[in-house]
Amino acid sequence: MFPAGAAHVRVRWLALPGGVSIRVAESGDASGAPVLLLHGWGASLYMWRDWFAPLAAAGRRVIAVDLPGHGLSDKPTDAGRYSLGRMVASLRELIEIERFDAPRIIGQSMGGAIALELALARAIP
């Protein structure tokens, strides 16, 4: 299972407020500018497996997550946890916990919608 055999990728679980844990995979220098990779509905951080090494080699801190209900992250039974607003809130919590200062966010499908919502929220005072 990814990232087995990829020594340059570290995996950990992060507890979000509300009791949901998400799987986080990281690569690159911890002091590098963060790039957050968000997968789409029904996917997992596995979709970004080929992105870790090139982005890390470019000096970035690469972070991919299994969003709540996906991959190896917790699967809450409350259907409300899967709304766009709640997914955005989960990512805001992650950004706050990790103290990311203006991370670059790349998203696919639902991950793109989450990234757009995060970008719009930063643009509105």
Side-chain angles (χ1 to χ4, degrees), residues 3-122:
H8 64 284
V9 180
R10 303 171 298 282
V11 175
R12 60 192 167 89
W13 273 258
L14 180 67
L16 299 177
V20 173
S21 291
I22 59 172
R23 182 170 75 137
V24 178
E26 256 185 278
S27 189
D29 185 348
S31 66
V35 175
L36 185 56
L37 306 173
L38 304 178
H39 63 76
W41 185 260
S44 71
L45 63 79
Y46 177 75
M47 73 168 290
W48 301 109
R49 66 194 176 280
D50 294 329
W51 290 56
F52 283 90
L55 287 170
R60 298 295 189 155
R61 177 181 178 191
V62 186
I63 305 101
V65 300
D66 280 340
L67 293 166
H70 295 79
L72 297 180
S73 290
D74 286 350
K75 313 251 183 323
T77 57
D78 174 16
R81 280 294 287 178
Y82 300 101
S83 70
L84 177 59
R86 193 59 197 115
M87 290 288 188
V88 171
S90 293
L91 265 295
R92 281 188 182 156
E93 292 165 354
L94 167 84
I95 290 167
E96 183 176 315
I97 291 167
E98 295 294 308
R99 297 184 177 152
F100 293 146
D101 183 28
R104 300 289 190 243
I105 302 173
I106 301 170
Q108 183 268 336
S109 187
M110 176 186 67
I114 294 168
L116 178 60
E117 289 294 320
L118 290 168
L120 290 173
R122 286 184 176 274

